């Protein structure tokens, strides 16, 4: 084996320029892939963070069926206090949960006394909400007001409505909402601030305090539309999602008596859609169309990997086919003097493998250096409401190992055919080759 | 007991429609430790015959036994193994491995064909280097030595595995006359020293005279299977 390695290395050195060219192609290839993974991964993390930390939270709990008809923000699919209590218990018992925030969601009419438009309102407990989506205060446009983000009797309005209806902080406005029994109720609010939309320029989401929301809707009980959850580590989203889903389905089963009572009293349209006593958990990705961007980045990474794989495959195969062709007489000689075909095979496979691995090793080193440099130079991007977010590109050891292994496997596959051809060569024909 | 025995040996190449009768039924026997030459005009079948003896090519008729083995029946891997075990080759174009040093070229069959332990390899290579007069040149690459020196190294490589038989198809065709003569002398000396049977072919009449046994081929047939007395070279 050592001898095979020695011969392979020397043959690579013998055709030094070609070896250099091919291995530097592979090197570049790997640098491209690893840098993409690092930068795109960092961008993705920031992007996801913008959604989860400024609006959605990592996970949300709803009554079963609520999300299916979330467009109408159905009041009859709110969670009852007993149910909320049980969810809270489960969340407090879950170590991975950092914070959670109960919200009342409703659709309302917004009026500045001369014009009226529709608005989606979240009733929140500001302290809990900020703990759950810490970037929320950052969405307020203009100078920060001293004191609380939102007091009772105040409303945070979306930029779109502020501009359209020419409303500014300090103005008095009216919200009119239809209650669950069909009656209509109105309430005046003072505008606490104007907010950027987290979900793009079309967003019409406003915030009031949860008590105001309940008063506006004339709720007798402390109902909740959704509970947003923040995890200590966003990487655990899937794991916690699975765990909570299981636990909450058990809770819903136990609490069926309380839930079913109110549920059946509703003459709701969504009762037919499976709205019932159950609970369901969703990840932010399931709730936001922007998760598609994250998926797209992943898809792009897959494409880039496929391209890398093809480049390695083609370049190594090309070089090895050339190597076999150039050394036909040499192959004839070693075959004539009795070198077993499997050793000839090993000789050429080793050569191809070394070519790939050499490029991979160098590429990995350069990539790691480049990623290190990018972190020092602090590349910034603009995304969402934050003007300059510093990218912190990083690759996991797992990614590096996977890429290197992929290159090795491709180099192996690429040299297989030429090596096979060499090992099967007829010595007489090969020796006669000029 | 003859080392090589051929009976009614035939080799016919089929190239498209026409059959080329390269060897048309030859009988001969070559004794162990002999020094044999096949001579004959171009196209008479020398290479074809040596290739069959060397298990590089299979006969299409007759019988051929080499080292008590019916080599006509060996399949490719078996033939490769047989060559590695019993036969050494010296080529017209030297065919040293360009990326290996003189030492490594001689050592090659001991690693890649057979599995000799390091210490034994070293002894064998040093002994052969000395025997072929290449001591002190072991670290040179093939492109740093002359044609005659290359062929010396090739002879040493052919002898490395203690093969019973060394086949050399026109080993001196690429050498000037003096060098050619020295290579043949070297082969004969090796025969004396190691008891190896040498079978070679040549066009060169002066070289032919060095052989102890001469087979003259013509149009695929042996003309005069006449063992000749040892030539005395002046
Ligand atoms: N692979 C082959 N296919 C077809 N015909 C062949 C093949 N090899 C040799 N021949 C033919 O067989 C005959 C004998 O060839 P061979 O090479 O054995 O002669 P040779 O005595 O070695 O000649 P030279 O002195 O030129 O080397 C020739 O007519 C040659 O054309
Ligand atoms: Mg010939």
């Amino acid at each position: 084996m050592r001898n095979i390695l020695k011969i392979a290395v020397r043959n690579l050195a013998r055709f030094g320029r070609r070896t250099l060219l091919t291995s530097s192609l592979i090197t570049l290839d790997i640098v491209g892939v690893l840098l993409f993974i690092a930068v795109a991964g960092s961008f993705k993390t920031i992007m996801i963070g913008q959604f989860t930390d400024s609006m959605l939270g990592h996970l949300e709990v709803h009554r079963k069926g609520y999300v299916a008809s979330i467009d109408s923000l159905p009041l009859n699919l709110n969670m009852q206090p007993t149910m909320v209590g049980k969810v809270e218990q489960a969340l407090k018992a879950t170590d991975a949960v950092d914070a959670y925030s109960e919200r009342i969601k409703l659709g309302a009419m917004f009026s500045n006394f001369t014009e009226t438009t529709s608005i989606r309102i979240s009733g929140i407990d500001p302290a809990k909400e900020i703990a759950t989506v810490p970037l929320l205060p950052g969405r307020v446009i203009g100078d920060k007001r001293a004191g609380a983000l939102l007091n009772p009797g105040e409303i945070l309005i979306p930029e779109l409505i502020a501009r359209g209806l020419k409303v500014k902080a300090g103005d008095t406005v009216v919200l009119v909402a239809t209650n669950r029994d069909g009656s209509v109720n109105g309430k005046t609010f003072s505008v606490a601030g104007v907010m950027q939309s987290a979900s793009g320029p079309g967003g019409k989401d406003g915030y009031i305090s949860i008590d105001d929301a309940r008063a506006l809707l004339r709720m007798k009980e402390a109902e909740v539309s959704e509970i947003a959850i923040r995890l200590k580590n966003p990487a655990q989203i899937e794991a916690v999602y699975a765990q909570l889903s299981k636990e909450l389905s058990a809770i819903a089963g136990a609490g069926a008596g309380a839930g079913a009572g109110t549920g059946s009293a509703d003459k709701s349209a969504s009762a037919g859609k499976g709205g019932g006593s159950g609970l369901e958990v969703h990840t932010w990705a399931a709730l936001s169309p922007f998760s598609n961007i994250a998926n797209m980045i992943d898809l792009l990474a897959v494409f880039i990997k496929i391209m890398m794989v093809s480049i390695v495959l083609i370049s190594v195969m090309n070089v090895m086919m050339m190597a076999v062709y150039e050394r036909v007489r040499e192959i004839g000689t070693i075959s004539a003097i009795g070198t077993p075909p499997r050793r000839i095979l090993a000789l050429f496979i080793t050569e191809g493998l070394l070519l790939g691995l050499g490029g991979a090793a160098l590429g990995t080193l350069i990539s790691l250096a480049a990623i290190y440099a990018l972190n020092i130079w602090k590349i910034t991007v603009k995304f969402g409401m934050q003007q300059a977010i510093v990218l912190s590109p990083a690759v996991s050891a797992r990614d590096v190992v996977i890429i290197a292994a992929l290159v090795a496997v491709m180099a192996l596959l690429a040299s297989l055919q030429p090596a096979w051809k060499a090992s099967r060569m007829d010595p007489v024909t090969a020796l006669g080759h000029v | 007991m003859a080392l090589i025995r051929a009976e009614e040996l035939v080799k016919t190449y089929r190239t498209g429609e026409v059959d080329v009768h390269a060897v048309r039924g030859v009988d001969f026997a070559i004794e162990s430790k002999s020094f044999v030459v096949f001579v004959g005009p171009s196209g008479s079948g020398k290479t074809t015959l040596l290739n069959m003896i060397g298990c590089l090519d299979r006969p299409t008729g007759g019988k051929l036994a080499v080292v008590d083995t019916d080599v006509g029946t060996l399949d490719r891997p078996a033939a490769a193994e047989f060559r590695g075990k019993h036969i050494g080759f010296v080529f017209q174009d030297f065919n040293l491995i360009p990326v290996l040093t003189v030492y490594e070229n001689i050592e090659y069959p001991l690693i890649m064909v057979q599995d000799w332990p390091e210490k034994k390899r070293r002894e064998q290579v040093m002994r052969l280097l000395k025997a072929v007069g290449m001591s002190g040149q072991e670290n040179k690459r093939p492109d740093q030595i002359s044609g005659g020196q290359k062929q010396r190294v090739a002879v040493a490589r052919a002898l490395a595995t203690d093969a019973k038989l060394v086949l050399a198809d026109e080993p001196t065709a690429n050498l000037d006359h003096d060098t050619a003569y020295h290579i043949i002398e070297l082969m004969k000396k090796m025969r004396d020293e190691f008891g190896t049977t040498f079978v070679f072919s040549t066009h060169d009449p002066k070289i032919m005279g060095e052989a102890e046994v001469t087979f003259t081929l013509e149009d695929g047939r042996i003309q005069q299977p006449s063992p000749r007395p040892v030539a005395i070279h002046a």
Side-chain angles (χ1 to χ4, degrees):
Chain A
M1 190 59 229
R2 233 182 61 213
N3 211 51
I4 287 179
L5 211 63
K6 176 176 81 187
I7 295 176
V9 168
R10 289 199 194 159
N11 271 314
L12 286 173
R14 170 178 166 200
F15 300 100
R17 188 194 290 223
R18 190 171 72 200
T19 302
L20 205 68
L21 216 67
T22 308
S23 53
S24 43
L25 189 68
I26 296 171
T27 300
L28 265 175
D29 205 21
I30 298 218
V31 171
V33 172
L34 285 180
L35 280 188
F36 179 84
I37 290 179
V39 173
S42 161
F43 183 76
K44 192 178 115 181
T45 307
I46 288 172
M47 191 197 75
I48 291 175
Q50 287 295 310
F51 290 115
T52 58
D53 296 359
S54 69
M55 188 164 80
L56 294 171
H58 293 134
L59 296 168
E60 289 186 3
V61 178
H62 300 92
R63 183 94 160 261
K64 194 163 268 164
Y66 187 90
V67 171
S69 45
I70 200 161
D71 228 36
S72 60
L73 302 174
L75 295 171
N76 59 324
L77 286 177
N78 284 339
M79 291 174 266
Q80 302 306 310
T82 39
M83 208 180 244
V84 174
K86 282 180 172 141
V87 175
E88 280 190 274
Q89 244 171 32
L91 294 180
K92 278 179 184 143
T94 308
D95 229 20
V97 171
D98 186 28
Y100 60 89
S101 172
E102 297 98 334
R103 300 166 179 166
I104 297 262
K105 298 275 223 174
L106 62 135
M109 295 311 289
F110 176 97
S111 172
N112 64 356
F113 301 102
T114 54
E115 284 174 281
T116 302
T117 185
S118 65
I119 189 171
R120 294 157 56 95
I121 292 290
S122 298
I124 53 165
D125 173 336
K128 284 181 122 179
E129 185 72 12
I130 289 169
T132 308
V133 286
L135 293 182
L136 183 68
R139 283 170 59 192
V140 176
I141 297 169
D143 298 330
K144 292 277 169 293
R145 188 178 74 160
L149 178 71
L150 187 69
N151 296 312
E154 288 185 336
I155 181 170
L156 285 164
I157 62 168
E159 195 180 6
L160 194 73
I161 291 181
R163 242 187 289 130
L165 270 61
K166 300 199 174 53
V167 179
K168 57 187 188 310
D171 290 357
T172 300
V173 296
V174 177
L175 285 184
V176 179
T178 308
N179 301 161
R180 189 154 61 168
D181 60 11
S183 66
V184 169
N185 192 23
K187 195 172 178 336
T188 56
F189 289 88
S190 159
V191 175
V194 178
M195 301 186 97
Q196 251 175 0
S197 161
S199 56
K204 284 172 91 174
D205 289 278
Y207 288 89
I208 58 178
S209 80
I210 194 161
D211 292 334
D212 286 344
R214 286 182 181 137
L216 179 62
L217 293 171
R218 291 205 276 250
M219 276 181 185
K220 292 179 198 75
E221 291 181 296
E223 294 176 21
V224 168
S225 308
E226 71 186 17
I227 302 174
I229 301 163
R230 178 176 181 78
L231 302 182
K232 286 173 185 149
N233 176 7
Q236 290 182 315
I237 286 183
E238 290 303 326
V240 179
Y241 165 74
Q243 186 199 332
L244 279 181
S245 295
K246 219 169 76 199
E247 283 179 16
L248 294 190
S249 72
I251 289 171
T262 48
S264 58
D266 298 333
K267 45 178 180 40
S268 70
S270 48
K273 287 185 215 161
S277 55
L279 290 168
E280 50 189 5
V281 186
H282 290 89
T283 62
W284 76 273
L287 295 167
S288 167
F290 285 88
S291 65
N292 286 335
I293 297 180
N295 293 339
M296 208 109 96
I297 290 174
D298 291 341
L299 198 67
L300 217 59
V302 170
F303 271 123
I304 285 184
K305 278 181 204 163
I306 290 174
M307 251 165 60
M308 171 196 82
V309 160
S310 336
I311 290 176
V312 172
L313 201 68
I314 292 169
S315 54
V316 172
M317 196 179 241
N318 183 40
V319 167
M320 291 318 294
M321 267 159 59
M322 237 145 82
V324 169
Y325 182 76
E326 283 165 345
R327 303 219 294 270
V328 170
R329 277 172 57 86
E330 214 175 299
I331 295 164
T333 306
I334 62 174
S335 169
I337 66 180
T339 311
R342 67 194 148 79
R343 289 221 166 126
I344 299 178
L345 190 79
L347 203 59
F348 282 91
I349 286 180
T350 306
E351 219 172 295
L353 207 56
L354 280 178
L355 199 62
L357 286 181
L362 197 64
T364 304
L365 283 181
I366 293 177
S367 305
L368 294 182
I371 288 166
Y372 184 75
L374 284 181
N375 279 306
I376 287 179
W377 292 334
K378 302 211 183 302
I379 306 295
T380 57
V381 291
K382 262 176 73 172
F383 187 84
M385 56 237 57
Q386 303 220 341
Q387 290 307 303
I389 301 170
V390 177
L391 276 184
S392 46
V395 280
S396 60
R398 193 171 140 265
D399 274 333
V400 171
V401 169
I402 286 178
I403 298 287
L406 213 56
V407 169
V409 170
M410 284 307 119
L412 182 83
L413 285 180
S415 37
L416 219 50
Q417 192 272 342
W420 177 254
K421 197 177 145 204
S423 73
R424 304 298 301 169
M425 233 170 239
D426 171 48
V428 175
T429 321
L431 281 167
H433 194 270
V434 262
Chain B
M1 179 64 211
L3 186 73
I4 307 166
R5 184 179 297 279
E7 286 166 29
E8 283 302 306
L9 190 61
V10 171
K11 177 73 186 182
T12 306
Y13 291 109
R14 175 148 285 168
T15 45
E17 292 296 290
V18 265
D19 284 354
V20 181
H21 302 282
V23 174
R24 304 167 182 256
V26 298
D27 299 84
F28 63 87
I30 292 172
E31 296 303 319
S32 193
K33 299 180 187 165
S34 51
F35 200 66
V36 182
V37 69
F38 281 92
V39 298
S42 190
S44 57
K46 303 183 293 295
T47 299
T48 305
L49 204 53
L50 285 182
N51 282 349
M52 285 193 286
I53 297 171
C55 300
L56 293 169
D57 214 347
R58 283 168 76 164
T60 45
K63 286 194 79 170
L64 177 62
V66 181
V67 203
D68 299 328
T69 306
D70 181 0
V71 296
T73 61
L74 297 178
D75 61 8
R76 269 176 51 94
E81 198 186 326
F82 184 85
R83 290 196 300 271
K85 218 164 170 179
H86 298 295
I87 306 175
F89 288 89
V90 175
F91 304 92
Q92 180 178 330
D93 302 312
F94 323 124
N95 293 16
L96 298 180
I97 298 167
V99 295
L100 297 182
T101 63
V102 164
Y103 182 96
E104 289 163 342
N105 262 286
I106 301 172
E107 191 189 28
Y108 177 92
L110 300 179
I111 298 176
M112 295 289 279
V113 180
Q114 299 186 357
D115 286 308
W116 287 36
E118 162 88 51
K119 191 167 169 290
K120 227 178 126 202
R121 286 205 306 263
R122 177 145 203 97
E123 281 167 16
Q124 177 80 333
V125 175
M126 294 319 277
R127 181 166 75 122
L128 286 166
L129 274 167
K130 191 157 171 255
V132 301
M134 288 294 288
S135 293
Q137 318 254 34
E138 56 261 38
N139 291 325
K140 290 194 172 149
R141 292 282 172 107
D143 57 11
Q144 294 170 319
I145 57 177
S146 71
Q149 288 177 314
K150 279 184 203 158
Q151 207 59 312
R152 285 172 185 275
V153 175
V155 170
R157 178 178 68 183
L159 292 166
T161 56
D162 295 328
K164 290 191 182 64
L165 172 66
V166 171
L167 297 173
D169 191 11
E170 312 221 21
T172 60
N174 282 340
L175 299 172
D176 64 71
H177 180 264
D178 277 355
T179 314
Y181 172 74
H182 284 121
I183 289 296
I184 296 299
E185 285 304 298
L186 173 72
M187 290 186 353
K188 202 186 259 175
K189 185 184 141 221
M190 293 299 104
R191 190 277 312 266
D192 296 341
E193 202 170 325
F194 298 98
T196 315
T197 308
F198 278 82
V199 177
F200 64 103
S201 73
T202 185
H203 273 117
D204 187 340
K206 293 198 183 101
I207 297 294
M208 292 170 203
E210 294 302 308
E212 293 161 4
V213 182
T214 304
F215 292 108
T216 307
L217 278 169
E218 212 171 307
D219 198 19
R221 291 197 176 87
I222 291 183
Q223 287 302 322
Q224 35 160 163
S226 53
R228 301 195 326 182
V230 179
I232 314 285
H233 200 89

